[in-house]
Amino acid sequence: MTSIQELHHHQALDDVLSKIRDAEQKAGREKGSVDLVAVSKTFFGEHIHPALLAGQRIFGENRVQESLQKWPELKNTYADVDLHLIGPLQSNKVKDAVGLFDCIQSVDRLKLARALANEIQRTGRNIRLLVQVNTGEEPQKAGVLPEDVDSFLQQIKSELGLNISGLMCIPPSTENPAPHFALLSDMAKRNGLDQLSMGMSADFETAIEFGATYVRVGSAIFGARPKPQS
Ligand SMILES: *Cc1c(COP(=O)(O)O)cnc(C)c1O
């Protein structure tokens, strides 16, 4: 009889975690200062369970509807799961999102922030919020424009009393991500924010160099996703 639970081996997860620890060290950052958000979008229980059994607890999803199909049950079994919404959130899904997620990384407009503030107050849920920044100013991409970030944060704080923990970005896929990571880091610093969610499978080590506290890694852990999703 023992209270120590045997963790199951998960090679891809192990590889990503050791690359994160190496990158922390290389950047002169404290060990464990970067948290891995395992992005499980498009995957269901049979793929997610092995990561849970290996001890992974922070997961990221980009769709509220899909998350409702899998996470309530998984969260019943693993009460300490920390579930992050990393995709766009429509105001009419705010109730569901606040009920299910522990962190929402995609706050990007005042109307959404208002709806979140109301729902958080109504339910008393303790949810962390990150503001998504469209660092590449891509018309098709969600996020606050860099020039509007300071005033947006100010407004959220003074008008809504909402506490924002940090910033998130998804750099343009065709560009060197480093300048985008540097820009996000600067914006967080000058606004006194601690959390930086940046870096995916292809560039999380670079993001750690620029101060990421959350890296969002999907395919390097779970494998390639079916084509239509991205
Ligand atoms: C899908 C997704 C990821 C993970 O992408 P990978 O390249 O599979 O690591 C990270 N962040 C966001 C916002 C995503 O939608």
Side-chain angles (χ1 to χ4, degrees):
M1 210 177 78
T2 171
S3 62
I4 296 172
Q5 218 173 337
E6 189 80 33
L7 291 182
H8 293 235
H9 187 73
H10 190 304
Q11 190 60 50
L13 181 62
D14 273 4
D15 289 347
V16 169
L17 285 169
S18 58
K19 282 179 182 164
I20 289 172
R21 300 287 91 91
D22 287 349
E24 284 172 346
Q25 192 172 34
K26 236 178 101 187
R29 301 189 46 198
E30 201 176 319
K31 187 176 175 190
S33 54
V34 180
D35 281 321
L36 170 63
V37 180
V39 178
S40 47
K41 64 188 185 193
T42 76
F43 293 104
F44 279 77
E46 57 174 340
H47 289 100
I48 299 174
H49 257 124
L52 284 161
L53 288 169
Q56 177 64 28
R57 286 297 180 271
I58 311 176
F59 290 85
E61 292 283 346
N62 68 337
R63 289 175 185 204
V64 176
Q65 218 51 44
E66 181 189 324
S67 307
L68 283 169
Q69 289 167 29
K70 50 187 165 181
W71 281 105
E73 196 186 331
L74 290 167
K75 277 186 138 195
N76 270 340
T77 314
Y78 298 92
D80 55 346
V81 157
D82 187 30
L83 192 62
H84 292 224
L85 180 63
I86 59 172
L89 177 57
Q90 290 162 332
S91 297
N92 64 358
K93 298 247 171 71
V94 160
K95 248 188 188 121
D96 285 334
V98 168
L100 182 64
F101 290 93
D102 305 287
C103 177
I104 294 174
Q105 299 200 2
S106 48
V107 180
D108 65 353
R109 56 199 192 281
L110 207 55
K111 185 182 173 213
L112 174 61
R114 271 199 199 103
L116 284 167
N118 288 338
E119 186 62 11
I120 287 170
Q121 186 170 37
R122 194 184 70 81
T123 58
R125 287 264 299 152
N126 182 18
I127 293 185
R128 283 156 293 142
L129 301 173
L130 272 63
V131 164
Q132 180 174 353
V133 183
N134 187 356
T135 58
E137 307 187 28
E138 296 170 280
Q140 84 286 5
K141 202 168 267 176
V144 179
L145 292 174
E147 72 210 42
D148 297 333
V149 167
D150 294 4
S151 60
F152 183 67
L153 287 168
Q154 196 53 47
Q155 210 169 5
I156 282 187
K157 198 176 197 169
S158 59
E159 267 184 42
L160 306 173
L162 260 191
N163 197 24
I164 298 291
S165 322
L167 303 177
M168 180 269 243
C169 77
I170 312 168
S173 53
T174 54
E175 285 180 32
N176 174 9
H180 296 271
F181 296 155
L183 178 67
L184 198 71
S185 170
D186 280 350
M187 289 187 292
K189 266 197 202 108
R190 70 172 184 248
N191 285 287
L193 301 175
D194 296 330
Q195 302 293 337
L196 274 177
S197 172
M198 53 192 202
M200 323 206 304
S201 290
D203 54 21
F204 67 88
E205 286 151 300
T206 308
I208 290 171
E209 212 181 303
F210 284 89
T213 60
Y214 287 119
V215 291
R216 310 178 307 266
V217 180
S219 47
I221 297 170
F222 298 106
R225 289 179 291 273
K227 260 275 148 35
Q229 274 266 2
S230 65

